[in-house]
Amino acid sequence: MDASDAAFRSQLEVTTTLLAELDDTARAFFRQPEELKRTIAMTRGGRAWRGYFGVGEELTSGVPDEKEGLYFGTEGPADGRPLFGPNLFASERMRRVVLAYLEAMTALGHRLMRAIARSLGLPASYFDERYTADPLVLFRIFHYPPISSPSAWSVGEHADYGLLTILLQDLSL
């Protein structure tokens, strides 16, 4: 991490500032023409499963979803393992904002798991020591365009995998 990254991250914790930056970055990305979004297509992300996918390219229970999205995870080298490797970013701004958000949300996840452990009568470090010391962190940004018909769903019924899902719902219309 260079000095400019450190300065940027120190200003953007899990605050309204960071959330506004993330929202603005995501909206700017999804407003772009399809050919520009495809420059970071998931087909370029390899086994790391990172990058952009278009409407209808992701399936839930065998049915194409009416959403497009971006997949990110903890930044690292491609080492052949599924879900590990470098992220694909459309811009330097996206890289800075997403990595700051991932860092902030990972810290929040650790705090939440400590609180859950305590609520269960366990030592606060219970999950850290057994399961989450080096978590698999995945982050997705979705854009839900208007659905094609009144009976369609943006995404079908599903269950998330993993230990903890933190969801930020955009309620603005």
Side-chain angles (χ1 to χ4, degrees):
M1 175 170 43
D2 66 24
S4 63
D5 285 345
F8 183 80
R9 289 182 185 180
S10 71
Q11 297 168 9
L12 299 176
E13 297 169 358
V14 184
T15 64
T16 55
T17 303
L18 177 55
L19 295 176
E21 283 284 324
L22 181 65
D23 183 71
D24 187 61
T25 302
R27 288 177 191 276
F29 176 80
F30 289 119
R31 280 192 302 266
Q32 295 182 104
E34 188 73 14
E35 62 270 10
L36 291 177
K37 292 185 270 190
R38 293 259 171 230
T39 63
I40 60 166
M42 287 185 72
T43 54
R44 298 174 186 224
R47 292 177 55 97
W49 201 251
R50 309 288 168 83
Y52 169 77
F53 68 88
V55 174
E57 294 177 11
E58 186 166 76
L59 305 177
T60 301
S61 301
V63 178
D65 294 337
E66 294 197 23
K67 71 176 190 278
E68 61 182 332
L70 292 163
Y71 279 32
F72 302 101
T74 303
E75 184 78 349
D79 62 8
R81 293 181 295 165
L83 304 177
F84 289 88
N87 289 295
L88 302 175
F89 298 108
S91 66
E92 178 60 22
R93 178 184 186 210
M94 179 183 280
R95 183 186 75 79
R96 288 175 181 260
V97 171
V98 166
L99 292 179
Y101 187 76
L102 277 169
E103 185 177 300
M105 294 308 293
T106 300
L108 173 62
H110 282 292
R111 289 192 304 271
L112 288 171
M113 292 310 300
R114 286 187 208 97
I116 290 169
R118 303 252 346 239
S119 77
L120 296 171
L122 300 168
S125 61
Y126 180 84
F127 291 105
D128 288 335
E129 293 170 356
R130 289 166 179 81
Y131 305 106
T132 63
D134 185 20
L136 173 62
V137 177
L138 302 173
F139 172 50
R140 298 169 179 166
I141 302 173
F142 296 132
H143 172 244
Y144 299 93
I147 55 177
S148 61
S149 73
S151 63
W153 289 88
S154 295
V155 62
E157 181 180 332
H158 68 282
D160 289 348
Y161 53 87
L163 181 63
L164 179 67
T165 296
I166 302 171
L167 178 65
L168 173 64
Q169 176 65 48
D170 174 18
L171 300 177
S172 65
L173 298 175

